[in-house]
Amino acid sequence: NAGVTQTPKFRVLKTGQSMTLLCAQDMNHEYMYWYRQDPGMGLRLIHYSVGEGTTAKGEVPDGYNVSRLKKQNFLLGLESAAPSQTSVYFCASSYSPGGTNEKLFFGSGTQLSVL
Amino acid sequence: GNSVTQMEGPVTLSEEAFLTINCTYTATGYPSLFWYVQYPGEGLQLLLKATKADDKGSNKGFEATYRKETTSFHLEKGSVQVSDSAVYFCALPGLAGNKLTFGGGTRVLVKP
C-alpha cells in the first residue's frame, strides 16, 4: 500500500529553471494539496484540488502552477524558479475536505534548493 | 480566519520527562482540532484529534483536551522516549472547511 508518493525526493535548480513535482496517491482520494515547509513558518498551503480537473489557490500560490488531470495525480510546477522557493514541499490527500473529518495523508517530501 | 499559535522550540528533554507543547487557537465556532507529528525524514502523520469542546484526544501516550474556555489544545505526554523526538504541529480547519491550517511546529528532542 503505497499511500502518497512524491517524486523527486531531492532536486537542485538554478534560478530561472523550471521543474515539475509529481504527487501520486492510490487511495482514490478526491482532495489533494501542496504545502511548503519553511523553518519557523510551519506548513503553508500553496494550491489544492477538490477533485479531478479542479484546482484552487492556497495561502502562497505565487510562482507556482498546478494541474489535476487524473484523480490520482497532482502536479506542482515552477515555471521560473527563484531562491525564495527553496523549501521542502509536501503533498497530501484526504477523503474529506481539508482532512477536517478524517486525516490528511502526507508524502515524504521533496527537498528543493534553488541556487 | 481560523488560526493556531503554538510554542516555539526547540524543546529538549531527558527520557521519562513530562512534555507539554502549548497550542492556542482562534476560530469561528468550534472546529475540530488536530495534532500532527513529523518524524525525521518523513511526512506528517495524524497523532490525535478532538472534534468538540471538552473532548480529549489520545494516542501513543499523548493527550490533548479541547478547552473552549481558554481556546487551547495543549499536547502532553507523561514520560517521553527518545523515539518521540520529532516536530509537532497543531492544526485546525480553515473558515471554508476545505483545508487545514497548521501552526509553526515545535521541534522536540529527547535525549537518553
Side-chain angles (χ1 to χ4, degrees):
Chain A
N1 189 357
V4 179
T5 304
Q6 290 182 234
T7 53
K9 294 189 183 301
F10 303 95
R11 187 72 185 269
V12 178
L13 291 178
K14 294 181 179 179
T15 297
Q17 287 185 319
S18 63
M19 77 162 294
T20 301
L21 282 67
L22 171 63
C23 176
Q25 53 92 6
D26 61 1
M27 296 171 283
N28 202 34
H29 286 168
E30 290 291 340
Y31 304 89
M32 297 187 74
Y33 314 85
W34 276 107
Y35 286 90
R36 60 179 287 174
Q37 183 182 28
D38 301 294
M41 303 187 74
L43 275 76
R44 292 181 292 169
L45 184 65
I46 305 171
H47 286 282
Y48 64 99
S49 169
V50 301
E52 181 179 314
T54 75
T55 63
K57 294 180 180 180
E59 302 171 67
V60 288
D62 294 343
Y64 305 95
N65 56 75
V66 288
S67 64
R68 183 102 180 265
L69 299 179
K70 293 183 179 181
K71 186 176 184 178
Q72 64 268 34
N73 296 336
F74 195 30
L75 279 63
L76 178 70
L78 286 74
E79 291 187 347
S80 179
S84 61
Q85 294 177 305
T86 294
S87 188
V88 180
Y89 292 85
F90 286 99
C91 177
S93 69
S94 65
Y95 285 112
S96 60
T100 53
N101 295 319
E102 297 182 30
K103 61 182 178 181
L104 285 177
F105 291 78
F106 280 84
S108 58
T110 297
Q111 174 77 57
L112 175 66
S113 295
V114 183
L115 306 178
Chain B
N2 293 354
S3 64
V4 289
T5 302
Q6 62 182 106
M7 61 186 288
E8 292 188 19
V11 175
T12 303
L13 303 164
S14 297
E15 262 192 319
E16 301 183 2
F18 185 88
L19 171 67
T20 299
I21 303 176
N22 291 339
C23 171
T24 57
Y25 66 88
T26 301
T28 300
Y30 301 104
S32 297
L33 300 175
F34 304 84
W35 278 101
Y36 276 78
V37 59
Q38 182 183 28
Y39 298 106
E42 299 182 10
L44 281 71
Q45 54 187 277
L46 180 66
L47 179 60
L48 55 83
K49 70 177 184 181
T51 58
K52 61 183 186 295
D54 299 325
D55 258 6
K56 178 185 287 188
S58 61
N59 187 26
K60 298 183 180 181
F62 289 88
E63 293 183 339
T65 301
Y66 190 159
R67 299 197 186 280
K68 63 179 182 181
E69 299 84 2
T70 54
T71 62
S72 64
F73 192 54
H74 303 325
L75 183 68
E76 298 179 335
K77 185 172 185 181
S79 177
V80 294
Q81 304 300 314
V82 173
S83 57
D84 293 324
S85 297
V87 182
Y88 294 83
F89 293 88
C90 189
L92 83 171
L95 266 181
N98 57 1
K99 60 181 176 69
L100 278 185
T101 295
F102 289 87
T106 302
R107 182 175 299 277
V108 173
L109 177 61
V110 181
K111 296 185 174 180

